[in-house]
Amino acid sequence: MPRFVSARNGVILATGGFGASDALVRQWAPEFASLPTDNSPGSTGDGLKMAEALGAAVEGMGNVMCVTGVKSRRNIAVRLASPADFIYVNDSGKRFVEENEAQDTLVTAIRSQHDGRCFVIFASKTESGLDPLTRKSLYRLLVAGDVFSAPSVEKLAAILKLPADNLARSIRRYNEMAVQPGRVGKCLAMPCTLLDSGPYWGYEASLKIHYTAGGLRIDGKGRVLNKKGRPIPGLWAAGGVTGSVHGANCTSGNGLTDAFVMGRIVGEQASAARL
Ligand SMILES: Cc1cc2nc3c(=O)[nH]c(=O)nc-3n(C[C@H](O)[C@H](O)[C@H](O)COP(=O)(O)OP(=O)(O)OC[C@H]3O[C@@H](n4cnc5c(N)ncnc54)[C@H](O)[C@@H]3O)c2cc1C
């Protein structure tokens, strides 16, 4: 049921993104329609729609960011935090991208593989370094049969139905790069975890909508702008509902920073305003 609130100094929209709205994702980024999301069910873009009805401009709406989760019917999140800890391979068992690339580059690379299939491969050194919550989720998915572990690369390849020789070659080359980074590749940028001792781990990845970087157009004070670029009197917005902050990629840690920094700015603006 709608509730009506009388706002004396103005209104701040802080309703987050629209990753949980299939309709909005379909409208603005149809290539990602029907993908699952790790967003809260409240990320339905309500504030966005309300502001648009007042003539607000939007920007970057196609900038929908995805992350790789475990392909599973269970809603258990496992995300290996550091790209230094695993490799992606396609269904030929071959590495096809540097795992530390920007999120949009990774997603494009994954989607361009045969049938869009991608597998996450790691080994015991990564598993032993996981935080307790991630490890717990990983083992739940292992028991459920969505994540796999095997004593050797060959056995893991057989379980995942990947060509064993290709997978072994991908891992060997990656380990060589980890020890001797050379002139290209992610191990130049970060110390890579060796995949050199069993058990070896793997799962098929699935893309999930993680962050909708587009949203309301705002200025540096968080004022919501109309289509002519003028502030709509009394209307501010901060955080995930806005689209003027991140561009195509919201780099790790910047989502909360955006919400806190712009939240403070618009709070100060609105409390000082006299409409
Ligand atoms: C799984 C996951 C992990 C993340 N990890 C990180 C991280 O490590 N670091 C980082 O910086 N960022 C991270 N982010 C991004 C970060 O969570 C967001 O950038 C941040 O929460 C945005 O804050 P917000 O207040 O703008 O929106 P939200 O946190 O989405 O809050 C908006 C709130 O408004 C509510 N709402 C929406 N519509 C209505 C309505 N009509 N009426 C009433 N309430 C409504 C929603 O239910 C929600 O509670 C992560 C996001 C996800 C999904």
Side-chain angles (χ1 to χ4, degrees), residues 45 66 76 141 160 265:
C66 295
I76 303 173
L141 287 165
L160 294 174
I265 290 172

Side-chain angles (χ1 to χ4, degrees), residues 1-261:
M1 209 171 77
R3 291 186 187 179
F4 296 92
V5 178
S6 177
R8 280 175 300 162
N9 282 12
V11 170
I12 296 172
L13 293 170
T15 47
F18 59 91
S21 166
D22 195 44
L24 286 179
V25 172
R26 200 171 287 281
Q27 177 184 350
W28 292 103
E31 67 274 29
F32 298 117
S34 308
L35 283 185
T37 180
D38 63 8
N39 288 188
S40 75
S43 301
T44 46
D46 287 5
L48 190 69
K49 287 183 264 185
M50 288 188 269
E52 273 197 286
L54 290 173
V58 292
E59 68 179 293
M61 294 295 284
N63 293 332
V64 170
M65 291 174 56
C66 295
V67 291
T68 50
V70 179
K71 188 169 185 185
S72 169
R73 276 198 290 275
R74 292 158 190 84
N75 191 18
I76 303 173
V78 166
R79 208 175 144 210
L80 302 184
S82 170
D85 288 342
F86 64 91
I87 58 171
Y88 289 130
V89 297
N90 57 21
D91 64 5
S92 298
K94 294 182 179 171
R95 248 181 114 220
F96 55 89
V97 71
E98 294 297 334
E99 294 79 8
N100 64 334
E101 284 286 0
Q103 212 62 39
D104 58 337
T105 306
L106 289 177
V107 170
T108 305
I110 290 170
R111 289 168 75 93
S112 64
Q113 300 309 302
H114 177 242
D115 286 342
R117 295 185 79 196
C118 168
F119 297 80
V120 173
I121 307 289
F122 55 100
S124 59
K125 289 193 173 84
T126 297
E127 188 272 338
S128 62
L130 292 176
D131 65 85
L133 279 179
T134 304
R135 183 180 293 117
K136 186 175 172 192
S137 300
L138 190 74
Y139 276 86
R140 285 175 69 197
L141 287 165
L142 179 72
V143 171
D146 294 321
V147 166
F148 304 95
S149 170
S152 68
V153 173
E154 291 68 26
K155 289 204 166 113
L156 182 68
I159 295 169
L160 294 174
K161 298 188 174 55
L162 300 175
D165 48 349
N166 283 351
L167 183 62
R169 195 175 308 120
S170 298
I171 291 176
R172 193 172 58 246
R173 285 188 182 154
Y174 164 80
N175 283 333
E176 286 165 6
M177 184 175 81
V179 175
Q180 212 163 25
R183 277 183 292 182
V184 288
K186 69 176 176 182
C187 303
L188 269 179
M190 52 185 67
C192 285
T193 306
L194 283 165
L195 313 183
D196 62 349
S197 56
Y200 290 85
W201 291 75
Y203 56 83
E204 182 159 4
S206 76
L207 291 176
K208 292 185 180 187
I209 294 173
H210 179 64
Y211 192 83
T212 49
L216 298 174
R217 178 168 290 166
I218 54 168
D219 65 10
K221 294 176 177 169
R223 296 180 297 184
V224 177
L225 304 179
N226 66 20
K227 294 189 176 84
K228 290 182 177 158
R230 297 203 192 101
I232 297 175
L235 190 59
W236 288 266
V241 70
T242 68
S244 309
V245 177
H246 301 287
N249 280 296
C250 174
T251 312
S252 191
N254 282 358
L256 291 173
T257 309
D258 171 18
F260 291 144
V261 171

